Amino acid sequence: MLNKTVAIAIDGPAGAGKSTIAKALAARLDYIYVDTGALYRSIGLAFMRKGFDRQLSCDVAKELSDVKVDIRFINGVQHVFLGDEDVSEAIRTPEASMMASAVSAKPEVRQYLLEMQRDFARKYNCIMDGRDIGTVVLPTAQVKIFLTASDEERAMRRYKELREKGDTATYEEVLSDMRQRDYNDSHRAIAPLKPAEDAIIADTTGKGLEESVLMLMSIIKEKTE
Ligand code: DC
């Protein structure tokens, strides 16, 4: 008997609400939630710690050979590890965000993470969020959603999150970093951020969490029933 899993791909730019909404959806559907941005962030952090800047003037494949990234679920919550260290918090700084964007443009890095991501989808019913899940990682996902919101609203959400953590970045800095990152992510040669042809575009501008979750639930229901 075939034990086929269901995959829901949620792609979109930074701050569209992907992770918050995907987490809530996963809890309601009893699916695993995989935050693929955390994987790129961990590799970005590893390269930062090796002393590289965003230019990444190095042999990326060689440097990657001693980087070990792993996802573990602790009480149902995703934690990301670099070797034995839980870096789930350390990857959330503005510097780690920019480094994540830089390493994510490297084909060696994308290749390194591809099988790990596909493996989750083979094993579990999952909601995976990222930039290229519907286009590259899981092109046969049953549901593909491209989640977006206005630049200003996305930056304001990120700004508030950072503030709560005590980060002193200004709104203008967050908005400008975000636009730079969106530009990098959608203009890179490999697996750029763009909606899959069969993705449903969902805009969360002006919508709260519950309203956004309900909007996506109805898309998922329609696609999976
Ligand atoms: O979703 P996030 O902000 O945590 O992602 C961090 C960076 O990783 C983002 O700038 C782009 C990159 N990324 C990617 O290229 N592909 C993915 N599937 C997920 C993230």
Side-chain angles (χ1 to χ4, degrees), residues 50-197:
K50 281 170 177 275
F52 297 112
D53 63 17
R54 287 183 230 160
Q55 304 309 313
L56 293 169
S57 315
C58 62
D59 179 340
V60 174
K62 181 165 166 277
E63 295 299 336
L64 259 182
S65 62
D66 63 1
V67 174
K68 199 177 166 331
V69 177
D70 190 19
I71 285 184
R72 297 180 205 162
F73 292 93
I74 304 175
N75 298 326
V77 177
Q78 173 183 303
H79 287 249
V80 63
F81 283 76
L82 262 184
D84 288 332
E85 182 189 352
D86 185 343
V87 293
S88 309
E89 282 298 316
I91 58 172
R92 298 288 160 197
T93 64
E95 297 73 30
S97 300
M98 291 309 266
M99 266 309 260
S101 187
V103 296
S104 73
K106 297 289 179 188
E108 300 89 335
V109 172
R110 305 204 74 84
Q111 192 57 38
Y112 172 92
L113 293 176
L114 190 59
E115 266 315 299
M116 186 190 290
Q117 296 170 84
R118 287 186 173 159
D119 208 39
F120 277 109
R122 273 192 287 269
K123 289 192 189 136
Y124 309 104
N125 288 330
C126 72
I127 300 192
M128 197 175 283
D129 82 13
R131 302 293 189 285
D132 63 337
I133 309 304
T135 50
V136 176
V137 179
L138 305 175
T140 60
Q142 289 85 342
V143 186
K144 296 183 188 177
I145 294 168
F146 192 86
L147 202 67
T148 186
S150 71
D151 294 7
E152 292 80 6
E153 185 156 331
R154 292 188 292 112
M156 184 51 77
R157 291 175 188 166
R158 265 293 144 87
Y159 169 70
K160 286 184 180 162
E161 271 171 30
L162 289 169
R163 278 273 138 160
E164 273 170 24
K165 284 194 251 164
D167 195 290
T168 55
T170 64
Y171 167 76
E172 287 70 26
E173 283 165 350
V174 175
L175 178 63
S176 140
D177 271 14
M178 184 168 274
R179 286 184 170 147
Q180 181 63 52
R181 212 143 67 84
D182 287 349
Y183 183 87
N184 295 348
D185 295 344
S186 48
H187 288 79
R188 65 183 176 223
I190 175 167
L193 168 67
K194 64 168 186 202
E197 271 175 24

